[in-house]
Structures are given as C-alpha cells and as structure tokens.
C-alpha cells in the first residue's frame, strides 16, 4: 500500500491553513436538459388537457402562449373580433368574415342535382353538408304550422375547404317532396363556423322520364313520373295537352309513378313531347320524343277478280287500335269501308265484293284515320266471257231451238236476240236466267221462221255483266216456201229484266 505524499508548496508562497473544503457544482449534460424539458412539457400538457377532461383541476399550470405562470388558468381565450354590422342602402348587413354558402340552382326539381358553393371557412377544414326542413320558411296564409316532430337533417356531402376557405359539393335532391322549402347547412368539423341556405322546391312542375327518345307509334317504352300530388290522377298526352288522353295513370303516395310500360301514341312525325298533367294539382311534366314514320303495307288476294267476286286484303304497319279508311281509286272522299287495327297496328280478313260497273285496272287506298299513314294496292276486274250453243247446229225452217250457256255472271238474266237476215237488227226472241254458277241448260225457245235463208245469228246478252255470247245457227234450204205462222213478238217477263 503506497503512502500518499503531501506536496510541498513552492518557495515564496504562503501556505493556507487547512479548513472546510468548498463543494463545487456538478456539471449538467445536454441530454439531461432535454429530458427535463420534455418532462415539463408533458406535465403542462397533461395538466391542461387530460386532467380537466377527467374532472381533475390542475391550478397553476400555464396556458400555451399565455406567458407561463404569470397567466391565470381561467383567463378567457382571445377571439378574432367579428366584422361590424353596417348600414348599406338602408339594410343592416354583416361586414364580412362570416362563412357563407350559395345553392345552384336555388329553385330545384325533385331528383335534380344541386351544387353547394361555400367560402369563409378555415383553410383545410372538413365541412359537412346537411339537408333538412327549413325552420324559417313562411307558412301559407300566415297560419302557424302544427308542431310536429322535426325531421333530422341528413348528411348529403363532405368537402375540404381549400385556399381562402372555398369548397364545392354536389348532391342529388330527394325524389320525395316533404316540404316546399328545405335548408342546406354547411358545418365545419371541430369549429363553430356554420352557414345555411334555403332551397325552394319547384311547385306545379313534375318530371317525366322515358326509357327511349326515338320510336314509332305503337312501340312500347317505359315512363317514370314524379313531382305530382300523392294519389292524383295523371293524364298522358302525345304532342298535345287537351282532348282525350292517350293514357290515364295514378300517382302513388309520393306523387310518383314507377317504370310503367306505355305505347307511343299517334302524333305528327318528328320532334314532339309526351305531356303528363295532374288532374288535382294542375302540375305538368313533359319529355321530348322523336316520332318516326309509319310504313304500312297491304296484301291483296287475288289480284284479279270478276264482278260479284270478292277480294280480300290484310295490312300491317299502321298505328295500333286506329281505324283504317278504305277508298277506291282516291285518297279522299267517302270511304267504302273501315277496318280497325289490332294492338300491333295490323289487320286481316277484310274484303270487298266487286260490283258489275267496275272494269279493268283498279286501286284500293288505305289511310290510317289518326296516323294518316297511307298505302295502296292495285288489282284488275276481269270481264265475263260466256259461251253458248243451241240444241242443234242447224236445221230446216220450223225447227224449234233452245239454248245452253256457261260462264255468265251468277244468277243474271240472259236475253236472246235473233238476226234472220244479213244487216237486220236483232230482235228479242227469248230470255232465261242462269244459276249461281252462271250456267243454263235447254232453256228458252225459238222456232226458225219459214222465210229464213242461210242462217240465224243468236246473240245472248247478260243483263248484269254486260257480256255477250254469239251462236250461228245454219238454216238448211227447204226447196220452197214453208207454211209456218209468223211468231208473235216476244214479251219479256218482269222477273227476267235483270
């Protein structure tokens, strides 16, 4: 173990007397200073925020930015002074600095889009937008509205305020009309900054939407309607707003009609509108529609007939349920008949019996009574070409002749004329009636006169068809005069006139 030697003072120095040794202060490192600062900060923060929040008072703790212990803890927080209210043109208005929102449009349709534009909020703050009933909307007739449970505002959007506190939010307005005026509220989160604006619901103006905007009469499309009075009757028109409606609907409890199939009505070709009118509210809604042309067509059978025969026809491409007027050889004047189309705009099984007076080429014209769509088709009236013969090809004077005939008009009377000499005028000598097939056998009677030479020419004329059949009867030479009484003139029976 070494012995510590005491140093001697150098010569010429005075040696101090031994006494109490002075203690030097320990040096504090930078790390210790940092730890102490953090601890002090936590103490103040906990004392001013957490402890009061759980009900524990922490007196003496300084406020941030308030000067430490020199600032009392209950001192009021300083707020920026509000802008003064000023008189502008006789109206007291805010001098600025307050948040504000505007609506575009301010008069809205049910289901429409509304744009909310705001300013005056804190930059970077989150702003929630709500929609609810207005508490300041005036009641009709000055009467107070009965108190009822207030509807809770519904959040319809959120936006972040940008530079200068400006934001924009778009939201869809409700389809159901609960009140004529609704209030839009913009509230900044964690702040007392709030702004309000009122949105008025357009009254008396419903809304109609079609599933298609182009079609022809008779096509089926879907119609959606809203904005009318609950349960009211709705009249649907095509291209007009009066007269007999094309369709009648009934609104539900929300004043709406869901997707309902309807047929495109008859209206002018081109751009038109479907119009819906509320019977109770008088509200109206319209939707544009492009009406295409109808292209009807007609099919005839057969294309050639004789008088008394029928021609049948069918058609397609007209408007559903409309009458089609049928005319002969003309687009105007009195129609000869009318047929009604089915739900698809067509018809079939119609027909006409051709009269005797028509000859040759003819045309039937078909025009829709409502749509005015037109089509035509031609046909031909064929002539009757009858054939006839006598019971003998020839004979001597005094021979009794009767007749056989075919291909005359059904049930018509046939008059028989005879020419006994060349250049002579035909004389009515007999008459008969053919059956429904235009045929007759061994009918009529005529005696060849005694003075007849060479031949007798018989002409058989149909009295309805106007057709003619000719028979040449050869008269043999008798070798001399024949004593045959001259026949009395033939008297036509009344029942054989036609």
């Amino acid at each position: 173990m070494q012995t510590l030697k005491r140093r001697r003072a150098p010569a010429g120095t005075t040696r101090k007397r031994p006494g109490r040794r002075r203690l030097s202060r320990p040096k504090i490192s930078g790390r210790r200073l940092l730890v102490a600062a953090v601890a002090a900060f936590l103490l103040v923060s906990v004392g001013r925020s957490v402890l009061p929040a759980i009900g524990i008072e922490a007196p003496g703790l300084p406020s941030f930015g308030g000067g430490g212990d020199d600032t009392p803890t209950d001192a009021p927080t300083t707020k920026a002074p509000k802008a003064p209210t000023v008189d502008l043109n006789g109206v007291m208005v805010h001098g600025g600095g307050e948040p504000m929102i505007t609506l575009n449009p301010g008069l809205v349709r049910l289901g429409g889009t509304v744009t909310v534009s705001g300013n005056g909020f804190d930059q970077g703050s989150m702003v929630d937008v709500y929609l609810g009933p207005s508490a300041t909307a005036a009641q009709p007739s000055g009467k107070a509205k009965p108190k009822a449970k207030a509807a809770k505002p519904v959040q319809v959007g959120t936006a972040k305020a940008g530079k200068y506190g400006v934001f924009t939010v778009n939201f869809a307005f409700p389809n159901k009309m609960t009140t004529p005026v609704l209030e839009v509220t913009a509230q900044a989160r964690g702040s007392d900054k709030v702004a309000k604006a009122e949105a008025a619901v357009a009254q008396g103006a419903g809304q109609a939407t079609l599933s298609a905007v182009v079609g022809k009469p008779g096509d089926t499309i879907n119609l959606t309607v809203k904005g009318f009075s609950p349960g009211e009757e709705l009249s649907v028109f095509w291209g007009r707003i009066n007269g007999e409606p094309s369709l009648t609907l009934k609104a539900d409890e929300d004043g709406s009609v869901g997707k309902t199939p309807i047929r495109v009505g008859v209206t002018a070709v081109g751009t038109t509108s479907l119009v819906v009118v509320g019977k109770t509210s008088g509200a109206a809604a319209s939707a544009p529609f492009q009406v295409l042309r109808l292209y009807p067509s007609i099919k005839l059978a057969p294309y050639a007939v004789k008088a008394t025969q029928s021609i049948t026809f069918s058609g397609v491409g007209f408007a559903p349920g409309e009458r089609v007027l049928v005319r002969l050889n003309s687009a105007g004047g009195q129609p000869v008949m009318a047929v009604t189309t089915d739900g698809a705009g067509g018809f079939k099984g119609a027909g006409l019996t051709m009269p005797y007076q028509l000859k040759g080429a003819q045309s039937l014209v078909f025009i829709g009574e409502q749509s005015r769509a037109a089509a035509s088709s031609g046909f031909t009236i064929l002539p009757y070409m009858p054939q006839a013969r006598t019971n003998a090809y020839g004979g001597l004077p005094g021979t009794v002749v009767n007749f056989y005939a075919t291909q005359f008009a059904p049930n018509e009377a046939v008059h028989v004329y005879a020419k006994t000499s060349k250049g002579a005028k035909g004389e009515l000598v007999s008459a008969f009636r053919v059956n429904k097939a235009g045929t007759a056998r061994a009918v009529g009677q005529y005696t060849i006169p005694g003075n007849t030479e060479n031949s007798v020419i018989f002409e058989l004329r149909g009295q309805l068809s106007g057709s003619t059949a000719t028979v040449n009867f050869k008269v043999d030479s008798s070798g001399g005069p024949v004593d045959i009484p001259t026949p009395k003139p033939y008297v036509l029976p009344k029942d054989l006139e036609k």
Side-chain angles (χ1 to χ4, degrees), residues 99-146:
M100 180 186 70
I101 60 172
T102 58
L103 307 180
N104 187 19
L107 184 63
V108 300
R109 288 184 180 272
L110 297 179
T113 300
V114 179
T115 300
V116 182
S117 301
N119 58 65
F121 291 83
D122 294 331
Q123 181 175 341
S125 62
M126 298 302 295
V127 182
D128 296 319
V129 179
Y130 298 88
L131 180 66
S134 174
T136 61
Q139 302 301 326
S141 303
K143 297 181 180 180
K145 191 175 181 179

Side-chain angles (χ1 to χ4, degrees), residues 281-425:
S281 65
S286 65
F289 194 82
Q290 185 75 20
V291 179
L292 303 177
R293 285 184 56 186
L294 291 170
Y295 292 92
S297 61
I298 298 294
K299 181 178 180 181
L300 299 181
Y303 283 98
V305 293
K306 295 179 180 180
T308 73
Q309 293 180 343
S310 294
I311 186 169
T312 60
F313 39 81
S314 59
V316 294
F318 291 91
E322 74 169 333
R323 291 203 319 161
V324 177
L325 307 180
V326 184
R327 295 181 174 90
L328 181 68
N329 300 323
S330 173
Q334 183 71 21
V336 296
M337 70 176 299
V339 293
T340 303
T341 61
D342 55 24
F347 64 87
K348 58 184 178 180
L352 285 170
T353 299
M354 296 298 107
Y356 287 105
Q357 293 80 6
L358 294 179
K359 309 292 181 182
Q362 308 292 325
S363 180
L364 284 174
V365 181
F366 301 80
I367 300 179
E369 189 173 34
Q370 295 178 340
S371 66
R372 310 303 299 172
S376 63
S377 185
F379 64 99
T380 301
I381 300 291
L382 299 175
Y384 280 93
M385 302 181 69
Q387 295 180 359
R389 57 172 294 185
T390 54
N391 56 339
Y393 289 104
L396 295 170
T399 303
V400 177
V401 178
N402 50 30
F403 305 94
Y404 292 76
T406 60
Q407 299 182 33
F408 278 93
N411 302 311
E412 73 173 331
V414 177
H415 296 178
V416 181
Y417 293 85
K419 295 180 182 181
T420 57
S421 61
K422 187 176 181 180
K425 184 179 179 181

Side-chain angles (χ1 to χ4, degrees), residues 269-291:
V269 173
T271 302
T272 186
S273 296
L274 175 138
V275 182
V276 183
V277 180
K279 185 175 182 180
T280 303
S281 65
S286 65
F289 194 82
Q290 185 75 20
V291 179

Side-chain angles (χ1 to χ4, degrees), residues 64-218:
F64 290 113
D69 293 338
D70 296 334
T71 304
T73 58
D74 56 353
T77 303
T78 303
K79 293 185 178 180
K82 291 186 176 181
T85 301
V86 297
D87 184 341
L88 179 61
N89 199 26
V91 179
M92 302 304 294
V93 297
H94 290 292
E98 295 293 325
M100 180 186 70
I101 60 172
T102 58
L103 307 180
N104 187 19
L107 184 63
V108 300
R109 288 184 180 272
L110 297 179
T113 300
V114 179
T115 300
V116 182
S117 301
N119 58 65
F121 291 83
D122 294 331
Q123 181 175 341
S125 62
M126 298 302 295
V127 182
D128 296 319
V129 179
Y130 298 88
L131 180 66
S134 174
T136 61
Q139 302 301 326
S141 303
K143 297 181 180 180
K145 191 175 181 179
K147 291 184 178 180
K149 186 178 180 181
K152 186 178 180 181
V154 178
Q155 185 174 350
V156 293
T158 299
K160 184 177 182 180
K163 193 174 182 181
Y164 307 118
V166 175
F167 73 88
T168 300
V169 169
N170 294 320
F171 72 91
F173 208 77
N175 289 323
K176 182 177 179 180
M177 184 173 66
T178 58
T179 178
V181 180
L182 291 177
E183 188 174 66
V184 178
T185 302
Q187 172 70 60
R189 295 181 185 176
S191 172
D192 60 353
K193 290 196 172 185
V194 62
K196 297 178 181 292
E198 289 183 344
V201 180
Q203 299 295 305
Q207 185 175 355
T209 305
L210 298 174
S211 61
V213 295
V214 177
K216 64 181 184 299

Side-chain angles (χ1 to χ4, degrees), residues 19-55:
R20 182 178 297 177
R21 181 179 296 179
R22 297 182 63 183
L23 297 176
S24 60
R25 293 183 179 180
K27 295 182 179 180
I28 301 176
S29 65
R31 181 178 298 177
R32 290 181 179 180
L33 287 175
L34 179 60
V35 172
V38 172
F41 175 78
L42 292 176
L43 176 62
V44 174
S45 299
V46 172
R48 286 191 55 81
S49 59
V50 179
L51 296 180
I54 62 177

